[in-house]
Amino acid sequence: MKIACIQLNVAFGDIEKNFTNVEKFIREAADKGAELAILPEMWNSSYALEKLEDLADPNGERTKNFLQNLSEELQIHIVGGSVSTKKDGKFYNTMYVYNNKGELVSEYDKAHLFRLMDEHLYLSAGDKQNNFELGDIPAAGVICYDIRFPEWLRLHALNGAKVIFVSAQWPTPRIDHWKTLLQARAIESQCFVIAVNRISHKKQNFNGQSMVIEPWGEVLWTGGEDEEMAIIDVDFSIVDEIRQRIPVYDDRRPELYKDILK
């Protein structure tokens, strides 16, 4: 499957500019033959958390209509990164996933809120997993800080995911953590990890380094520090082969882990 990783310069608090930019890149991805496009975290508003009352998408309606129309028109799967939403009077960091028929296949609210960026002061945490299928590929999606919780990603892999999509706004000072954690999650879960980060706005410090990692931990592509889109051809068939060669899933002993998972 040809996958377009769209590494954006997300404009702080500028909803219209961000929607225009995302549409441009998704159309370009489809024109170049991409079958799936993935976006970064909070691409509609960035981390303008103090302005969510004005910026957050009510019930995600604008975002859902936008992604549905593009996916159906262009016949492309879209892992819609995440956007700030307002639902039932609360704010969330929400990922929407559409298949190439324009059908919503997943809605996920970020489960782990990052205190160092004050998410817990403004956002509510989700409490549901995010497994879904795109075409015939079982997949999962998580958001940024989620990758620091290996048990959360392993749960999605245990539920069948052969690829875990990660949308992020991961800051430059900890970019080495980003790279190491992503490789570790791919190796331990024996699945692809496809992760898209944003680049910097003048008020914030992000430097891209989006990654596509195969189940052995080999990095197939790393983004630079500028806004860009890369299309990577991914062969998901190798997942089953790798899991057979080193049968980690068969050798698990969950009865020993139950206490640490409480």
Side-chain angles (χ1 to χ4, degrees), residues 83 105 152 182 248 258:
V83 293
V105 298
W152 186 234
L182 291 172
V248 170
K258 58 184 180 180

Side-chain angles (χ1 to χ4, degrees), residues 9-11 14-23 43-44 62 201:
N9 182 1
V10 181
D14 193 336
I15 300 290
E16 299 305 323
K17 183 175 182 179
N18 290 326
F19 268 87
T20 297
N21 202 25
V22 165
E23 180 171 358
W43 60 260
N44 65 335
R62 177 175 182 178
H201 178 275

Side-chain angles (χ1 to χ4, degrees), residues 1-4 32-37 76 231-234:
M1 181 180 286
K2 294 181 179 179
I3 296 177
K32 292 183 176 180
E35 298 165 85
L36 184 151
I76 187 172
I231 298 177
I232 299 90
D233 201 352
V234 175

Side-chain angles (χ1 to χ4, degrees), residues 87-151:
K87 299 183 283 190
D88 297 323
K90 298 179 180 180
F91 299 112
Y92 294 89
N93 185 339
T94 306
M95 174 183 286
Y96 297 107
V97 180
Y98 280 82
N99 65 20
N100 58 7
K101 299 177 183 177
E103 299 169 336
L104 178 65
V105 298
S106 174
E107 177 178 340
Y108 169 71
D109 297 318
K110 187 176 183 179
H112 301 91
L113 300 181
F114 190 48
R115 294 174 181 268
L116 291 185
M117 290 182 68
D118 290 336
E119 283 189 321
H120 65 298
L121 300 179
Y122 297 93
L123 301 172
S124 296
D127 57 7
K128 295 180 181 178
Q129 294 172 231
N130 192 28
N131 284 87
F132 51 87
E133 288 193 4
L134 289 174
D136 59 354
I137 305 300
V142 298
I143 301 172
C144 204
Y145 189 44
D146 283 334
I147 70 170
R148 287 191 182 270
F149 300 86
E151 63 271 34

Side-chain angles (χ1 to χ4, degrees), residues 51-97:
K51 301 178 181 179
L52 287 180
E53 188 63 50
D54 297 323
L55 299 177
D57 191 352
N59 296 314
E61 291 302 326
R62 177 175 182 178
T63 304
K64 288 187 286 187
N65 289 334
F66 174 76
L67 296 177
Q68 179 184 26
N69 290 338
L70 283 175
S71 59
E72 184 175 20
E73 175 193 346
L74 302 174
Q75 298 181 23
I76 187 172
H77 305 297
I78 302 175
V79 177
S82 74
V83 293
S84 58
T85 60
K86 183 178 182 180
K87 299 183 283 190
D88 297 323
K90 298 179 180 180
F91 299 112
Y92 294 89
N93 185 339
T94 306
M95 174 183 286
Y96 297 107
V97 180

Side-chain angles (χ1 to χ4, degrees), residues 38-55:
I38 173 174
L39 302 169
E41 181 184 16
M42 294 279 273
W43 60 260
N44 65 335
S45 62
S46 189
Y47 269 82
L49 297 179
E50 295 179 355
K51 301 178 181 179
L52 287 180
E53 188 63 50
D54 297 323
L55 299 177

